[in-house]
Amino acid sequence: MTDFFSSADLPSGLPADLPADLPSGLRERAAALDVADPLAGYRDLFAPSEGLIAYLDGNSLGRPLAATRERLASFVDGPWAARLIRSWDEGWMDAPTELGDTLGRVALGAAPGQTVVADSTTVLLYKLARAAVDARPGRRVIVADTENFPTDRFVLQGIAAERGLELRWITPDAEAGVTPEEVAAAVGRDTALVLLSHVAYKSGYIADLPAITRIVHDAGALILWDLCHSAGSVPLDLDADGVDIAVGCTYKYLNGGPGSPAFAYLAAGLQDEVRQPVQGWMGAVDPFAMGPDYEPATGIRQLISGTPPVIGMLPMRDMLALIDEAGMPAVREKSLALTGFAIDVADEYLAGVRVASPRDPERRGSHVMLDHPDFKRVVAEAWARGVVPDFRPPQGLRVGLSPLSTSFTEVAEGLWTIRDLLA
Ligand SMILES: Cc1ncc(COP(=O)(O)O)c(C=O)c1O
């Protein structure tokens, strides 16, 4: 049986079948963009992937940094083997909030004390959405949209059933996303909570976070933003925009690795008002008092439930350091150049393929959705050739462009392979 937890027994690398017939005009344009790219050097810091031609899925699972190998090994020998349980007192206990503060500063526009790393996105969505509806008693409606990621919709369905609340669905344009006008029409004095994704997981549309947040507040409701596809690719200013609550994952543009823990932001002004429902000992005011009744910790620690996933917090530290050094504005600039280039190549060379993402750069995240009836087959064949985009039903090929690990030549070669496979 293949052991997917070590490198000893993995299937051999993907065949590096370079697309031989890449037209010289396209190759030269991509090469010129790579030469002019001030962030190009960062790409060499990622661990090599054998046989890979183009990784177009950094928005699903970011590539590991080479530095992470050393970090994991030295963690085993150092804090774990050498210090053992003493390490809890020597830093591990504070890891969820210490790392949360770093993430908040580097990627979220959040002052310290409002971000925590814990659980999974799904679990944090549940904890915070439940806490939010309980903080608005008497209001019976949760507003959400039909195009959001399944876990967001499913969690809300569970909470609505549990609390006897009504779910009011916005049905946005699937190739764009939820607009401020649609939110204004859906919220009212009956609304407790609005949950939306900042960047839509299919179309890549960036919702107007400041405007929508204001509309939700004007109705007296709380807003919860899912930042899975924004954190580390689109600059955020949660404090300045008055966001109440946000949740996101760290294995996409924050390169935390498979199953790395999620993060939650809870605005300082709400921390005394909101109570999350999964009352565990690690979020209690004194975990080692072992007392009879739960009393929540003050501040952001109250969002923790059980033992913090310390190992899962290691790889994202390397990526956060890189993003910090490059700066979110430069990351965003490269992201826009990559997605713009991908759209140009699709328009010019992929006959019969439709771009199903916003063409307006202001409204576009770091991935581009392409649409064609043959894409299910094409994506499977592309993976076998070392070109790795994502398939999203019914017929979408999603090109995820992680700014620090993706080159323009990679995009050109990847999309040219897609053209070959379509032909
Ligand atoms: C918008 C969005 N929310 C949530 C998730 C996943 O949640 P979890 O990390 O709990 O699997 C994803 C995963 O791709 C996502 O795209």
Side-chain angles (χ1 to χ4, degrees):
M1 198 178 120
T2 303
D3 177 4
F4 286 97
F5 298 96
S6 88
S7 61
D9 189 27
L10 285 178
S12 65
L14 302 160
D17 269 357
L18 276 175
D21 56 345
L22 194 64
S24 58
L26 178 56
R27 188 179 290 280
E28 280 156 23
R29 186 175 162 203
L33 286 165
D34 281 327
V35 168
D37 171 14
L39 305 185
Y42 284 108
R43 198 160 170 270
D44 297 336
L45 302 179
F46 290 84
S49 305
E50 195 193 335
L52 191 76
I53 294 174
Y55 190 55
L56 306 177
D57 216 350
N59 63 328
S60 242
L61 179 68
R63 293 178 57 189
L65 279 156
T68 297
R69 200 184 299 122
E70 173 54 27
R71 182 186 285 281
L72 290 171
S74 64
F75 176 85
V76 173
D77 292 332
W80 189 1
R83 301 301 298 159
L84 291 167
I85 199 169
R86 291 168 290 187
S87 284
W88 282 110
D89 292 337
E90 294 165 0
W92 293 352
M93 273 306 253
D94 292 331
T97 50
E98 165 261 319
L99 186 57
D101 284 348
T102 303
L103 201 159
R105 176 180 60 77
V106 172
L108 307 181
Q114 301 175 104
T115 310
V116 71
V117 175
D119 304 318
S120 65
T121 316
T122 303
V123 170
L124 286 178
L125 278 169
Y126 172 75
K127 285 160 70 167
L128 283 150
R130 244 295 299 269
V133 298
D134 288 354
R136 289 290 175 275
R139 290 173 172 248
R140 292 201 53 265
V141 172
I142 303 173
V143 172
D145 73 288
T146 54
E147 288 299 311
N148 208 344
F149 190 76
T151 221
D152 300 62
R153 293 182 279 110
F154 298 166
V155 161
L156 290 185
Q157 285 168 345
I159 290 174
E162 201 173 280
R163 291 316 230 193
L165 302 174
E166 177 198 334
L167 264 172
R168 185 174 293 150
W169 294 105
I170 295 171
T171 307
D173 176 350
E175 293 188 8
V178 180
T179 64
E181 294 72 27
E182 287 169 326
V183 175
V187 296
R189 290 168 59 178
D190 57 1
T191 310
L193 171 70
V194 178
L195 165 60
L196 299 171
S197 276
H198 180 225
V199 174
Y201 83 103
K202 283 199 275 195
S203 72
Y205 176 87
I206 300 182
D208 188 340
L209 180 148
I212 291 175
T213 299
R214 274 195 303 275
I215 291 165
V216 172
H217 286 168
D218 288 347
L222 293 168
I223 181 85
L224 195 174
W225 287 102
D226 181 329
L227 303 178
C228 280
H229 290 270
S230 335
S233 71
V234 179
L236 289 154
D237 213 348
L238 301 185
D239 286 351
D241 290 330
V243 167
D244 300 312
I245 308 168
V247 164
C249 58
T250 62
Y251 46 77
K252 300 181 190 293
Y253 298 106
L254 298 176
N255 302 56
S260 59
F263 66 86
Y265 165 93
L266 178 61
L270 286 170
Q271 290 178 4
D272 291 337
E273 188 184 342
V274 165
R275 283 286 164 265
Q276 62 96 354
V278 186
Q279 304 184 165
W281 72 302
M282 278 284 173
V285 66
D286 181 359
F288 293 97
M290 308 282 166
D293 295 312
Y294 175 77
E295 187 192 334
T298 52
I300 195 72
R301 276 203 86 83
Q302 66 188 282
L303 295 190
I304 297 173
S305 295
T307 302
V310 174
I311 294 179
M313 294 184 206
L314 297 176
M316 76 179 88
R317 291 172 187 273
D318 296 314
M319 189 60 179
L320 281 168
L322 230 58
I323 294 174
D324 197 13
E325 189 182 286
M328 277 307 297
V331 167
R332 172 68 173 154
E333 203 172 308
K334 172 141 185 215
S335 159
L336 284 176
L338 284 166
T339 52
F341 180 61
I343 290 175
D344 286 354
V345 175
D347 283 344
E348 211 167 314
Y349 297 104
L350 302 186
V353 168
R354 214 164 41 80
V355 172
S357 285
R359 287 175 180 273
D360 173 4
E362 279 227 349
R363 295 263 74 87
R364 193 169 69 231
S366 207
H367 65 267
V368 172
M369 185 66 98
L370 304 176
D371 189 76
H372 189 282
D374 286 346
F375 272 158
K376 190 163 189 188
R377 167 188 65 83
V378 164
V379 169
E381 291 174 13
W383 279 34
R385 286 208 198 180
V387 171
V388 185
D390 223 347
F391 175 73
R392 282 289 172 268
Q395 52 178 41
L397 182 149
R398 197 174 62 167
V399 181
L401 300 166
S402 190
L404 296 185
S405 62
T406 311
S407 72
F408 292 89
T409 299
E410 200 179 355
V411 176
E413 286 175 342
L415 292 181
W416 194 256
T417 301
I418 302 301
R419 180 182 182 277
D420 263 6
L421 293 170
L422 278 171

